[in-house]
Amino acid sequence: MKLIYADTFSVGAFHETFNASSLLMFAEIYPQIIYRATQSSKQSVEKLVGDLPPNVTYKPIFLLAGLGHWGNFLRYLSSAIWNIFLALFQKHDEILYFNYNSLWATRIVNAIVKIRKTKVVITCHGELEYLQNNIKLNAPAQAGLNLFANCRWDIADGLYFCVLGKSILTNIPQIVEKRHLDKFISYEHSFIPHQLEGKAKKDGKFRIGTVGTIREYKGLDQLLSIGNALKGNPNILFYALGRVTCDPDLLSQANVQFIPGSEKDYVSKEVLNQYIDSMDSLIFTYPTDKYKFTASGALFDAIDREKIILSLHNDYFDGIYERINIGKQFSSLTELIDFLHGNGWEELADIDFKHNKLELSYKSVAQTLNMELKQLKLL
């Protein structure tokens, strides 16, 4: 059976780690894959994977996109149109996999699958967090999102929704209507392990950093609290590694260093990895009530670069720590700060980075997903 891997939303480096690893994962499972994506997204994927596997054939799509409100509108609109087009012309010997859920198209795609009796899988990312937190989206997106909580919505027999982790699947009953639960499946977010060429320099300083776009809802307050608390410790240097969308003066005042230029534009993968490689540890201060329905690509970047992970508890991270040893978790920000002040990292057990990367690799995840797809007759 052939798989159509449809990335109808990504432009450039958007979700590049997930896009690349999930494409390789499906290439391990299906004998033939048609890869639909924009040229810029494909180029970002190829930077991570090299040449595409021999069983993957690329066919381009074109998205209307730009800056600002109208640019986003055109991107969402053209993505929805592509989803509908691909569902309409899908062949019956094909599985259609969307790696991103275009909420504008969800209702129409469901109707098409119901009428044509085809098989489609759609991956959900952060949109389920919006449903949990009652965050309002634009009208067509909100209408699509509300379907998951609508007991009268009838999901087509051949349509399934996928979340990126068993911990997320476990939380789905909190927000999704009971009759829809059997339409959700999961596979673990994976990544492509890389061989590292060097380690962080040893100069008596302990360098810690956060990875990911710096936004208020992703732990800005916690980040500033840590920076202020560590101001008097000359042996610890604290970095924010990623796009800075907040006022950069807030970081400077808290003695939090950041990549030059990141307050103006996104940081390239190459530059980001250079900074990550200079760190001894990476910390994740996402609030404990977050990441119930979202995987963390930044966490996998940190594991790939073989860094000690220090994080607060949340459902997604707890699930990863239960599988492998990647560092240490804390119940509160105060506990994390006390650990840093006390040089607690010196007492952490040795971390088997090679084992961790193998366990979370796309090849390992493919083995588990293969069995589930067979049970659902999607393979």
Side-chain angles (χ1 to χ4, degrees):
M1 191 171 281
K2 183 191 303 181
L3 179 82
I4 308 299
Y5 183 103
D7 181 357
T8 63
F9 190 76
S10 297
V11 176
F14 180 82
H15 277 185
E16 61 181 350
T17 298
F18 168 75
N19 297 341
S21 63
S22 58
L23 178 63
L24 291 188
M25 177 190 69
F26 281 112
E28 294 280 320
I29 298 172
Y30 288 89
Q32 185 178 2
I33 299 214
I34 305 298
Y35 173 36
R36 307 299 304 262
T38 62
Q39 282 281 357
S40 63
S41 181
K42 170 181 171 282
Q43 290 168 359
S44 292
V45 166
E46 287 178 325
K47 287 181 179 179
L48 298 180
V49 308
D51 294 334
L52 296 178
N55 61 331
V56 176
T57 301
Y58 172 69
K59 292 185 178 181
I61 68 168
F62 305 94
L63 291 178
L64 299 173
L67 300 176
H69 173 78
W70 284 107
N72 287 331
F73 172 81
L74 291 173
R75 185 178 176 189
Y76 281 104
L77 177 62
S78 53
S79 174
I81 292 172
W82 269 110
N83 282 25
I84 294 168
F85 172 83
L86 292 173
L88 278 172
F89 292 95
Q90 175 188 2
K91 297 177 182 178
H92 283 83
D93 65 343
E94 298 172 340
I95 302 296
L96 178 55
Y97 170 75
F98 291 110
N99 73 347
Y100 187 88
N101 184 10
S102 173
L103 291 170
W104 289 21
T106 302
R107 187 188 295 272
I108 299 174
V109 169
N110 180 63
I112 293 171
V113 174
K114 191 179 298 185
I115 294 170
R116 300 194 65 232
K117 301 187 185 306
T118 49
K119 295 181 178 181
V120 175
V121 180
I122 301 175
T123 295
C124 298
H125 290 276
E127 65 270 23
L128 296 178
E129 294 273 359
Y130 298 140
L131 191 61
Q132 177 204 23
N133 297 318
N134 198 29
I135 297 174
K136 297 304 179 183
L137 307 176
N138 57 68
Q142 189 65 49
L145 186 62
N146 289 342
L147 292 172
F148 294 113
N150 186 346
C151 64
R152 293 178 294 178
W153 188 40
D154 185 25
I155 301 179
D157 291 341
L159 179 61
Y160 293 89
F161 295 91
C162 181
V163 294
L164 301 177
K166 289 192 179 298
S167 66
I168 299 174
L169 188 64
T170 300
N171 287 331
I172 288 296
Q174 299 177 25
I175 56 172
V176 171
E177 173 60 35
K178 184 177 181 180
R179 68 177 297 219
H180 304 328
L181 295 180
D182 63 350
K183 304 301 293 183
F184 278 81
I185 62 175
S186 74
Y187 67 82
E188 298 296 331
H189 192 307
S190 64
F191 73 108
I192 305 165
H194 294 91
Q195 185 70 36
L196 298 189
E197 297 180 356
K199 296 287 186 178
K201 294 180 179 180
K202 299 297 182 182
D203 59 0
K205 305 287 187 181
F206 189 72
R207 290 173 171 80
I208 58 176
T210 62
V211 177
T213 301
I214 311 302
R215 299 188 182 98
E216 185 172 352
Y217 77 89
K218 277 197 171 183
L220 175 61
D221 289 343
Q222 292 92 333
L223 187 150
L224 296 178
S225 295
I226 294 173
N228 284 315
L230 297 178
K231 272 185 178 180
N233 192 328
N235 296 319
I236 300 178
L237 301 178
F238 188 31
Y239 294 78
L241 307 177
R243 175 76 167 95
V244 176
T245 62
C246 67
D247 182 352
D249 288 339
L250 294 175
L251 299 179
S252 298
Q253 291 166 10
N255 206 32
V256 179
Q257 302 181 50
F258 54 90
I259 300 173
S262 61
E263 75 280 14
K264 300 176 182 178
D265 200 359
Y266 284 95
V267 180
S268 71
K269 191 77 171 179
E270 293 78 12
V271 171
L272 179 61
N273 283 341
Q274 288 175 11
Y275 274 85
I276 291 177
D277 288 345
S278 70
M279 298 293 111
D280 295 289
S281 173
L282 295 175
I283 65 173
F284 293 84
T285 59
Y286 305 144
T288 55
D289 61 341
K290 298 295 184 183
Y291 281 80
K292 289 180 177 292
F293 305 98
T294 308
S296 173
L299 174 62
F300 288 88
D301 287 335
I303 294 171
D304 188 33
R305 308 314 293 185
E306 301 185 2
K307 300 304 170 185
I308 299 169
I309 309 299
L310 306 177
S311 75
L312 300 183
H313 283 283
N314 63 53
D315 288 354
Y316 185 75
F317 279 65
D318 288 352
I320 298 295
Y321 275 88
E322 287 173 4
R323 296 168 59 194
I324 56 176
N325 170 33
I326 56 176
K328 186 175 177 61
Q329 287 182 286
F330 303 89
S331 299
S332 68
L333 201 61
T334 300
E335 186 179 326
L336 170 58
I337 292 171
D338 289 343
F339 174 86
L340 293 172
H341 274 308
N343 298 341
W345 63 84
E346 297 177 352
E347 301 176 4
L348 288 177
D350 289 339
I351 296 175
D352 188 343
F353 292 109
K354 183 177 180 180
H355 167 76
N356 291 348
K357 294 166 81 166
L358 179 63
E359 181 71 20
L360 299 175
S361 71
Y362 67 90
K363 289 188 176 183
S364 177
V365 175
Q367 294 175 3
T368 304
L369 181 59
N370 189 301
M371 294 184 290
E372 185 161 8
L373 292 173
K374 285 181 177 178
Q375 292 176 353
L376 296 172
K377 298 181 179 180
L378 293 171
L379 182 61

